Coordinates of all heavy atoms in Angstrom, one line a residue:
I1 N -1.1 29.2 -8.0 CA -0.8 27.9 -7.5 C -1.6 27.6 -6.2 O -2.0 26.5 -6.0 CB 0.7 27.9 -7.2 CG1 1.5 27.9 -8.5 CG2 1.1 26.6 -6.4 CD1 3.0 27.9 -8.3
R2 N -1.8 28.6 -5.4 CA -2.6 28.4 -4.1 C -4.0 27.9 -4.5 O -4.5 27.0 -3.8 CB -2.6 29.7 -3.3 CG -3.3 29.5 -2.0 CD -3.2 30.7 -1.2 NE -1.8 30.7 -0.6 CZ -1.2 31.7 -0.1 NH1 -1.7 32.9 -0.2 NH2 0.0 31.6 0.4
T3 N -4.6 28.4 -5.5 CA -5.9 28.0 -5.9 C -5.9 26.6 -6.4 O -6.8 25.8 -6.0 CB -6.5 28.9 -7.0 OG1 -6.5 30.2 -6.5 CG2 -7.9 28.5 -7.4
L4 N -4.9 26.2 -7.1 CA -4.7 24.9 -7.6 C -4.6 23.9 -6.5 O -5.3 22.8 -6.4 CB -3.5 24.8 -8.5 CG -3.1 23.4 -9.1 CD1 -4.2 23.0 -10.0 CD2 -1.8 23.5 -9.9
L5 N -3.7 24.2 -5.5 CA -3.5 23.3 -4.4 C -4.8 23.2 -3.5 O -5.2 22.1 -3.1 CB -2.4 23.8 -3.5 CG -1.0 23.6 -4.1 CD1 0.0 24.2 -3.2 CD2 -0.7 22.1 -4.3
S6 N -5.5 24.3 -3.3 CA -6.8 24.2 -2.6 C -7.8 23.3 -3.3 O -8.5 22.6 -2.6 CB -7.4 25.6 -2.4 OG -6.5 26.4 -1.7
S7 N -7.8 23.4 -4.6 CA -8.7 22.6 -5.4 C -8.4 21.1 -5.2 O -9.3 20.3 -5.0 CB -8.7 22.9 -6.8 OG -9.5 22.1 -7.6
V8 N -7.1 20.7 -5.3 CA -6.7 19.3 -5.1 C -7.0 18.8 -3.7 O -7.6 17.8 -3.5 CB -5.2 19.1 -5.5 CG1 -4.8 17.7 -5.1 CG2 -5.0 19.4 -7.0
L9 N -6.6 19.6 -2.7 CA -6.7 19.2 -1.3 C -8.2 19.1 -0.9 O -8.5 18.4 0.0 CB -5.9 20.1 -0.4 CG -4.4 20.0 -0.5 CD1 -3.7 20.9 0.4 CD2 -3.9 18.6 -0.3
S10 N -9.0 19.9 -1.5 CA -10.5 19.8 -1.2 C -11.1 18.5 -1.5 O -12.1 18.1 -1.0 CB -11.2 21.0 -1.8 OG -11.3 20.8 -3.2
L11 N -10.4 17.8 -2.5 CA -10.9 16.5 -2.9 C -10.5 15.4 -1.9 O -11.1 14.3 -1.8 CB -10.4 16.1 -4.3 CG -10.8 17.0 -5.4 CD1 -10.0 16.6 -6.7 CD2 -12.3 17.0 -5.6
V12 N -9.5 15.6 -1.1 CA -8.9 14.5 -0.3 C -9.8 14.0 0.7 O -10.0 12.7 0.8 CB -7.6 15.0 0.3 CG1 -7.1 14.0 1.4 CG2 -6.5 15.2 -0.8
P13 N -10.6 14.8 1.5 CA -11.5 14.2 2.5 C -12.5 13.3 1.9 O -12.9 12.3 2.4 CB -12.1 15.3 3.2 CG -11.1 16.5 3.0 CD -10.5 16.2 1.6
A14 N -13.0 13.6 0.7 CA -14.0 12.8 0.0 C -13.5 11.5 -0.5 O -14.3 10.6 -0.8 CB -14.6 13.7 -1.1
L15 N -12.2 11.4 -0.6 CA -11.6 10.2 -1.2 C -10.9 9.3 -0.2 O -10.0 8.6 -0.5 CB -10.6 10.6 -2.3 CG -11.2 11.3 -3.5 CD1 -10.1 11.8 -4.4 CD2 -12.2 10.4 -4.2
S16 N -11.3 9.3 1.1 CA -10.6 8.5 2.1 C -11.0 7.1 2.0 O -12.1 6.8 1.6 CB -10.8 9.1 3.5 OG -12.2 9.0 3.8
F17 N -10.2 6.2 2.5 CA -10.4 4.7 2.4 C -10.2 4.1 3.7 O -9.4 4.5 4.5 CB -9.4 4.1 1.4 CG -9.4 4.7 0.0 CD1 -8.5 5.7 -0.3 CD2 -10.3 4.4 -0.9 CE1 -8.4 6.3 -1.5 CE2 -10.3 5.0 -2.2 CZ -9.4 5.9 -2.5
D18 N -11.0 3.1 4.0 CA -10.8 2.3 5.2 C -9.5 1.4 5.0 O -9.2 1.0 3.9 CB -11.9 1.3 5.5 CG -13.2 2.1 6.0 OD1 -13.0 3.2 6.6 OD2 -14.3 1.6 5.8
D19 N -8.8 1.1 6.1 CA -7.7 0.1 6.0 C -8.1 -1.2 5.4 O -7.4 -1.9 4.7 CB -7.0 -0.1 7.4 CG -6.1 1.1 7.7 OD1 -5.8 1.9 6.9 OD2 -5.8 1.1 8.9
Q20 N -9.4 -1.6 5.6 CA -9.9 -2.9 5.1 C -10.0 -2.8 3.6 O -9.9 -3.9 2.9 CB -11.2 -3.2 5.7 CG -11.1 -3.5 7.2 CD -12.5 -3.8 7.8 OE1 -13.5 -3.6 7.2 NE2 -12.5 -4.2 9.1
E21 N -10.1 -1.6 3.0 CA -10.2 -1.5 1.5 C -8.8 -1.6 0.9 O -8.7 -1.8 -0.3 CB -10.8 -0.2 1.1 CG -12.3 -0.1 1.5 CD -12.9 1.2 1.0 OE1 -12.5 1.7 -0.1 OE2 -13.7 1.7 1.7
L22 N -7.7 -1.4 1.7 CA -6.4 -1.4 1.2 C -5.8 -2.8 1.3 O -6.0 -3.5 2.3 CB -5.5 -0.5 2.0 CG -5.8 1.0 2.0 CD1 -4.9 1.8 2.9 CD2 -5.7 1.6 0.6
K23 N -5.1 -3.3 0.3 CA -4.5 -4.6 0.4 C -3.3 -4.5 1.3 O -2.9 -3.4 1.7 CB -4.0 -5.0 -1.0 CG -5.2 -5.2 -2.0 CD -4.7 -5.6 -3.4 CE -5.8 -6.0 -4.3 NZ -6.7 -4.9 -4.7
I24 N -2.8 -5.7 1.7 CA -1.8 -5.7 2.7 C -0.5 -4.9 2.3 O 0.0 -4.1 3.1 CB -1.4 -7.2 3.0 CG1 -2.5 -7.9 3.8 CG2 -0.1 -7.2 3.9 CD1 -2.3 -9.4 3.9
Y25 N -0.1 -5.0 1.1 CA 1.1 -4.3 0.6 C 0.8 -2.8 0.6 O 1.7 -1.9 0.9 CB 1.6 -4.8 -0.7 CG 0.6 -4.5 -1.9 CD1 0.6 -3.4 -2.6 CD2 -0.2 -5.6 -2.2 CE1 -0.2 -3.2 -3.7 CE2 -1.1 -5.4 -3.3 CZ -1.1 -4.2 -4.0 OH -2.0 -4.0 -5.0
Q26 N -0.5 -2.4 0.4 CA -0.9 -1.0 0.4 C -0.9 -0.5 1.9 O -0.4 0.7 2.1 CB -2.2 -0.8 -0.2 CG -2.3 -1.0 -1.7 CD -3.7 -1.0 -2.3 OE1 -4.6 -1.5 -1.7 NE2 -3.8 -0.4 -3.5
Q27 N -1.3 -1.3 2.8 CA -1.3 -0.9 4.2 C 0.1 -0.7 4.7 O 0.4 0.2 5.4 CB -2.0 -2.0 5.0 CG -3.5 -2.0 4.8 CD -4.2 -3.2 5.6 OE1 -3.5 -3.8 6.4 NE2 -5.4 -3.5 5.2
Q28 N 1.0 -1.6 4.2 CA 2.4 -1.5 4.6 C 3.0 -0.2 4.0 O 3.8 0.5 4.7 CB 3.2 -2.7 4.2 CG 2.8 -4.0 4.9 CD 3.4 -5.3 4.3 OE1 3.8 -5.3 3.1 NE2 3.4 -6.3 5.1
T29 N 2.7 0.1 2.8 CA 3.2 1.3 2.2 C 2.7 2.5 2.9 O 3.4 3.5 3.2 CB 2.8 1.3 0.7 OG1 3.3 0.2 0.0 CG2 3.3 2.6 0.0
L30 N 1.4 2.5 3.3 CA 0.8 3.6 4.0 C 1.5 3.8 5.4 O 1.8 4.9 5.7 CB -0.7 3.4 4.2 CG -1.5 4.4 4.9 CD1 -1.4 5.8 4.3 CD2 -2.9 4.0 5.1
Q31 N 1.7 2.7 6.1 CA 2.4 2.8 7.3 C 3.8 3.4 7.2 O 4.3 4.3 8.0 CB 2.6 1.4 8.0 CG 1.2 0.9 8.5 CD 1.3 -0.6 8.9 OE1 2.4 -1.2 8.8 NE2 0.3 -1.1 9.5
W32 N 4.5 3.0 6.1 CA 5.9 3.6 5.8 C 5.8 5.1 5.6 O 6.5 5.9 6.1 CB 6.5 2.8 4.7 CG 7.8 3.3 4.2 CD1 9.0 3.2 4.9 CD2 8.1 4.1 3.0 NE1 10.0 3.9 4.2 CE2 9.5 4.4 3.0 CE3 7.3 4.4 1.9 CZ2 10.1 5.0 2.0 CZ3 7.9 5.1 0.9 CH2 9.3 5.4 0.9
L33 N 4.8 5.5 4.7 CA 4.7 6.9 4.4 C 4.3 7.7 5.7 O 4.8 8.8 5.8 CB 3.6 7.1 3.3 CG 4.0 6.7 1.9 CD1 2.8 6.7 1.0 CD2 5.1 7.5 1.4
N34 N 3.4 7.1 6.5 CA 3.1 7.8 7.7 C 4.2 8.0 8.7 O 4.4 9.0 9.3 CB 1.9 7.1 8.4 CG 0.6 7.2 7.7 OD1 0.4 8.2 6.9 ND2 -0.3 6.3 8.0
Q35 N 5.1 6.9 8.7 CA 6.3 7.0 9.6 C 7.2 8.1 9.0 O 7.8 8.9 9.8 CB 7.1 5.7 9.6 CG 6.4 4.6 10.4 CD 7.0 3.3 10.3 OE1 8.0 3.1 9.5 NE2 6.5 2.3 11.0
L36 N 7.4 8.2 7.7 CA 8.2 9.3 7.1 C 7.6 10.6 7.4 O 8.3 11.6 7.8 CB 8.3 9.1 5.6 CG 9.1 7.9 5.1 CD1 9.1 7.8 3.6 CD2 10.6 8.0 5.6
A37 N 6.3 10.8 7.3 CA 5.6 12.0 7.6 C 5.8 12.4 9.1 O 6.1 13.6 9.4 CB 4.1 12.0 7.3
F38 N 5.8 11.5 10.0 CA 6.0 11.7 11.4 C 7.4 12.3 11.6 O 7.6 13.2 12.5 CB 5.8 10.5 12.2 CG 6.1 10.6 13.7 CD1 5.1 11.3 14.5 CD2 7.2 10.1 14.2 CE1 5.4 11.4 15.8 CE2 7.5 10.3 15.6 CZ 6.5 10.9 16.4
K39 N 8.4 11.8 10.8 CA 9.7 12.3 10.9 C 10.0 13.6 10.1 O 11.1 14.0 10.0 CB 10.7 11.2 10.5 CG 10.7 10.0 11.4 CD 11.5 8.9 10.8 CE 11.4 7.6 11.7 NZ 12.2 6.5 11.1
R40 N 8.9 14.1 9.5 CA 8.9 15.3 8.6 C 9.8 15.0 7.4 O 10.6 15.9 7.0 CB 9.4 16.5 9.4 CG 8.4 16.8 10.5 CD 8.7 18.1 11.2 NE 8.4 19.3 10.4 CZ 7.1 19.8 10.3 NH1 6.1 19.2 10.8 NH2 7.0 20.9 9.6
M41 N 9.7 13.8 6.9 CA 10.4 13.4 5.7 C 9.4 13.0 4.6 O 8.2 12.9 4.9 CB 11.3 12.2 6.0 CG 12.4 12.5 7.0 SD 13.3 11.0 7.5 CE 14.1 10.5 6.0
G42 N 9.8 12.8 3.4 CA 9.0 12.4 2.3 C 9.5 11.1 1.7 O 10.7 10.7 2.0
G43 N 8.7 10.5 0.9 CA 9.2 9.3 0.2 C 8.5 9.2 -1.2 O 7.6 9.9 -1.5
I44 N 9.0 8.3 -2.0 CA 8.5 8.1 -3.3 C 8.0 6.6 -3.4 O 8.8 5.7 -3.0 CB 9.5 8.3 -4.4 CG1 9.9 9.8 -4.4 CG2 9.0 7.9 -5.8 CD1 11.1 10.1 -5.3
V45 N 6.8 6.4 -3.8 CA 6.3 5.0 -4.0 C 6.3 4.8 -5.5 O 5.7 5.5 -6.2 CB 4.8 4.9 -3.4 CG1 4.3 3.5 -3.6 CG2 4.8 5.3 -1.9
A46 N 7.0 3.7 -5.9 CA 7.2 3.5 -7.3 C 7.1 2.1 -7.7 O 7.9 1.6 -8.4 CB 8.6 4.1 -7.7
Y47 N 6.1 1.4 -7.2 CA 5.9 0.0 -7.7 C 5.1 0.0 -9.0 O 4.7 1.0 -9.4 CB 5.4 -1.0 -6.6 CG 4.3 -0.5 -5.7 CD1 3.0 -0.5 -6.0 CD2 4.7 -0.1 -4.4 CE1 2.0 -0.1 -5.1 CE2 3.7 0.3 -3.5 CZ 2.4 0.3 -3.9 OH 1.4 0.7 -3.0
A48 N 4.8 -1.2 -9.5 CA 4.2 -1.3 -10.8 C 2.9 -0.6 -11.0 O 2.2 -0.4 -10.0 CB 4.0 -2.8 -11.1
P49 N 2.5 -0.2 -12.2 CA 1.3 0.5 -12.5 C 0.1 -0.4 -12.1 O 0.1 -1.7 -12.2 CB 1.3 0.7 -14.0 CG 2.7 0.6 -14.4 CD 3.4 -0.3 -13.4
G50 N -1.0 0.2 -11.6 CA -2.2 -0.5 -11.3 C -2.3 -1.2 -9.9 O -3.2 -1.9 -9.7
L51 N -1.3 -0.9 -9.1 CA -1.3 -1.5 -7.8 C -1.8 -0.6 -6.6 O -1.8 -1.0 -5.5 CB 0.1 -2.0 -7.4 CG 0.6 -3.2 -8.3 CD1 2.0 -3.6 -7.9 CD2 -0.3 -4.4 -8.3
G52 N -2.3 0.6 -7.0 CA -3.0 1.4 -6.0 C -2.1 2.5 -5.3 O -2.4 2.8 -4.2
K53 N -1.1 3.0 -6.0 CA -0.3 4.0 -5.4 C -1.1 5.3 -5.1 O -0.9 5.9 -4.1 CB 0.9 4.3 -6.4 CG 1.9 3.2 -6.5 CD 3.0 3.5 -7.5 CE 2.6 3.8 -8.9 NZ 2.0 2.6 -9.6
T54 N -2.0 5.6 -6.0 CA -2.8 6.8 -5.9 C -3.6 6.7 -4.6 O -3.8 7.6 -3.8 CB -3.6 7.1 -7.1 OG1 -2.8 7.2 -8.2 CG2 -4.4 8.4 -7.0
K55 N -4.3 5.6 -4.5 CA -5.1 5.3 -3.3 C -4.3 5.4 -2.0 O -4.8 6.1 -1.1 CB -5.7 3.9 -3.4 CG -6.8 3.5 -2.6 CD -7.2 2.1 -2.9 CE -8.6 1.7 -2.4 NZ -9.0 0.4 -2.7
V56 N -3.1 4.9 -2.0 CA -2.3 5.0 -0.8 C -1.9 6.4 -0.5 O -1.9 6.9 0.6 CB -1.0 4.1 -0.9 CG1 0.0 4.3 0.2 CG2 -1.4 2.6 -1.0
A57 N -1.5 7.1 -1.6 CA -1.0 8.5 -1.5 C -2.2 9.4 -1.0 O -2.0 10.3 -0.1 CB -0.5 9.1 -2.8
I58 N -3.4 9.2 -1.5 CA -4.5 10.0 -1.0 C -4.8 9.7 0.5 O -5.1 10.7 1.3 CB -5.8 9.7 -1.9 CG1 -5.6 10.3 -3.3 CG2 -7.1 10.2 -1.2 CD1 -6.6 9.9 -4.3
E59 N -4.7 8.5 0.9 CA -5.0 8.2 2.3 C -3.9 8.7 3.2 O -4.2 9.3 4.3 CB -5.1 6.7 2.5 CG -5.4 6.2 3.9 CD -6.8 6.8 4.4 OE1 -7.6 7.2 3.6 OE2 -7.0 6.8 5.6
N60 N -2.7 8.7 2.7 CA -1.6 9.3 3.5 C -1.8 10.8 3.6 O -1.6 11.3 4.7 CB -0.2 9.0 2.8 CG 0.9 9.7 3.4 OD1 1.5 10.6 2.9 ND2 1.3 9.2 4.6
I61 N -2.1 11.5 2.6 CA -2.4 12.9 2.6 C -3.5 13.2 3.6 O -3.4 14.1 4.5 CB -2.7 13.5 1.2 CG1 -1.4 13.5 0.4 CG2 -3.2 14.9 1.3 CD1 -1.7 13.7 -1.1
R62 N -4.6 12.4 3.5 CA -5.7 12.7 4.4 C -5.3 12.5 5.9 O -5.6 13.3 6.8 CB -6.8 11.7 4.1 CG -8.1 12.0 4.9 CD -9.1 10.9 4.7 NE -8.7 9.6 5.4 CZ -8.7 9.4 6.7 NH1 -9.1 10.3 7.5 NH2 -8.3 8.2 7.1
Q63 N -4.5 11.4 6.2 CA -4.1 11.2 7.6 C -3.2 12.2 8.1 O -3.3 12.7 9.2 CB -3.5 9.8 7.7 CG -4.5 8.7 7.5 CD -3.9 7.3 7.7 OE1 -2.8 7.1 8.1 NE2 -4.7 6.3 7.3
V64 N -2.2 12.7 7.3 CA -1.3 13.7 7.7 C -2.0 15.0 7.9 O -1.7 15.7 8.9 CB -0.1 13.8 6.6 CG1 0.7 15.1 6.9 CG2 0.8 12.6 6.6
Q65 N -2.9 15.4 7.1 CA -3.6 16.6 7.2 C -4.5 16.5 8.5 O -4.6 17.5 9.2 CB -4.5 16.9 6.0 CG -3.8 17.4 4.8 CD -3.3 18.8 5.1 OE1 -4.0 19.6 5.6 NE2 -2.1 19.1 4.6
K66 N -5.1 15.4 8.8 CA -6.0 15.2 9.9 C -5.1 15.3 11.2 O -5.6 16.0 12.2 CB -6.7 13.9 9.9 CG -7.6 13.6 11.0 CD -8.3 12.2 10.8 CE -9.1 11.8 12.0 NZ -9.6 10.5 11.9
E67 N -4.0 14.7 11.3 CA -3.2 14.6 12.5 C -2.3 15.9 12.7 O -2.2 16.3 13.9 CB -2.3 13.4 12.5 CG -3.1 12.1 12.5 CD -2.3 10.8 12.4 OE1 -1.0 10.9 12.6 OE2 -2.8 9.8 12.1
N68 N -1.7 16.4 11.7 CA -0.7 17.4 11.9 C -1.0 18.7 11.2 O -0.3 19.7 11.5 CB 0.7 16.9 11.4 CG 1.1 15.6 12.0 OD1 0.8 15.4 13.2 ND2 1.6 14.7 11.2
N69 N -1.9 18.7 10.3 CA -2.2 19.9 9.5 C -0.9 20.5 8.9 O -0.7 21.7 8.8 CB -2.9 21.0 10.4 CG -3.6 22.0 9.5 OD1 -4.0 21.7 8.4 ND2 -3.8 23.2 10.0
Q70 N -0.1 19.6 8.4 CA 1.2 19.9 7.8 C 0.9 20.3 6.3 O 0.0 19.8 5.7 CB 2.1 18.8 7.7 CG 2.7 18.3 9.0 CD 3.7 17.2 8.8 OE1 3.8 16.6 7.8 NE2 4.4 16.8 9.9
P71 N 1.6 21.3 5.8 CA 1.5 21.6 4.4 C 2.0 20.4 3.5 O 3.0 19.8 3.9 CB 2.3 22.9 4.2 CG 3.3 22.9 5.3 CD 2.6 22.1 6.5
I72 N 1.3 20.2 2.5 CA 1.7 19.1 1.6 C 1.6 19.6 0.1 O 0.7 20.2 -0.3 CB 0.7 17.9 1.7 CG1 0.8 17.3 3.1 CG2 1.0 16.8 0.6 CD1 -0.2 16.2 3.4
L73 N 2.7 19.4 -0.6 CA 2.7 19.8 -2.0 C 2.3 18.6 -2.9 O 2.8 17.5 -2.8 CB 4.2 20.2 -2.4 CG 4.4 20.5 -3.9 CD1 3.5 21.7 -4.3 CD2 5.8 20.7 -4.2
V74 N 1.2 18.8 -3.7 CA 0.7 17.8 -4.5 C 0.9 18.3 -6.0 O 0.5 19.4 -6.4 CB -0.8 17.6 -4.3 CG1 -1.4 16.6 -5.3 CG2 -1.1 17.2 -2.9
V75 N 1.7 17.5 -6.7 CA 1.9 17.8 -8.1 C 1.2 16.8 -9.0 O 1.4 15.6 -8.9 CB 3.5 17.8 -8.4 CG1 3.8 18.1 -9.9 CG2 4.2 18.7 -7.5
V76 N 0.3 17.4 -9.8 CA -0.5 16.5 -10.7 C -0.7 17.2 -12.1 O -0.5 18.4 -12.2 CB -1.9 16.3 -10.1 CG1 -1.9 15.5 -8.8 CG2 -2.7 17.6 -9.9
P77 N -1.0 16.4 -13.1 CA -1.2 17.1 -14.4 C -2.5 17.9 -14.4 O -3.4 17.7 -13.6 CB -1.4 15.9 -15.4 CG -0.9 14.7 -14.6 CD -1.0 15.0 -13.2
N78 N -2.5 18.9 -15.2 CA -3.7 19.8 -15.3 C -5.0 19.1 -15.5 O -6.0 19.5 -15.0 CB -3.5 20.9 -16.3 CG -2.5 22.0 -15.9 OD1 -2.3 22.2 -14.7 ND2 -1.9 22.7 -16.9
N79 N -5.0 18.1 -16.3 CA -6.2 17.4 -16.6 C -6.9 16.7 -15.5 O -8.0 16.2 -15.5 CB -6.0 16.4 -17.8 CG -5.1 15.3 -17.5 OD1 -4.3 15.4 -16.5 ND2 -5.1 14.2 -18.3
L80 N -6.2 16.6 -14.3 CA -6.8 16.0 -13.1 C -7.5 17.0 -12.2 O -8.2 16.6 -11.3 CB -5.7 15.2 -12.3 CG -5.1 14.0 -13.0 CD1 -4.0 13.4 -12.1 CD2 -6.1 13.0 -13.4
I81 N -7.3 18.3 -12.5 CA -7.9 19.3 -11.7 C -9.3 19.6 -12.3 O -9.5 20.0 -13.5 CB -7.1 20.6 -11.7 CG1 -5.6 20.3 -11.3 CG2 -7.7 21.7 -10.8 CD1 -5.5 19.7 -10.0
P82 N -10.4 19.5 -11.4 CA -11.7 19.9 -11.9 C -11.8 21.4 -12.4 O -11.2 22.2 -11.7 CB -12.6 19.7 -10.7 CG -11.8 19.0 -9.7 CD -10.3 19.2 -10.0
Q83 N -12.4 21.6 -13.5 CA -12.5 23.0 -14.0 C -13.8 23.6 -13.6 O -14.8 23.1 -13.5 CB -12.4 22.9 -15.5 CG -11.0 22.4 -16.0 CD -9.8 23.2 -15.6 OE1 -9.9 24.4 -15.5 NE2 -8.7 22.6 -15.3

């Protein structure tokens, strides 16, 4: 599992986005997730498919890792992990 998480998290810095690339609702979601992370809480983003939840989640992970170096559990299907 440790190797799997290292593989996923190694992709995060390469996939960061500028706030200007995020739509307003994505920026608001990112702010909410960052506030939860600051309080050492988690949240679930569950709006309609195709609205950029993955993009927001990746940016949130990148920011939390950069600021706090907190451990983050990322659960993804096996087919998303580079072999």
Side-chain angles (χ1 to χ4, degrees):
I1 292 176
R2 183 170 282 157
T3 304
L4 178 64
L5 288 176
S6 296
S7 177
V8 171
L9 291 177
S10 69
L11 298 174
V12 171
L15 296 173
S16 63
F17 306 97
D18 288 334
D19 281 345
Q20 294 178 352
E21 291 182 39
L22 298 175
K23 295 182 172 71
I24 291 173
Y25 65 88
Q26 291 171 322
Q27 291 174 13
Q28 292 169 341
T29 303
L30 179 59
Q31 289 171 355
W32 176 71
L33 287 172
N34 288 340
Q35 289 172 358
L36 289 177
F38 178 75
K39 296 175 184 177
R40 300 186 73 80
M41 298 172 65
I44 297 173
V45 179
Y47 39 81
L51 295 178
K53 294 178 295 293
T54 303
K55 194 177 197 181
V56 171
I58 290 170
E59 184 60 20
N60 175 251
I61 291 169
R62 187 191 67 76
Q63 289 181 12
V64 168
Q65 283 291 320
K66 181 180 173 184
E67 294 175 15
N68 304 322
N69 201 26
Q70 291 181 352
I72 295 174
L73 175 62
V74 178
V75 180
V76 297
N78 284 338
N79 64 341
L80 294 179
I81 307 300
Q83 299 298 324

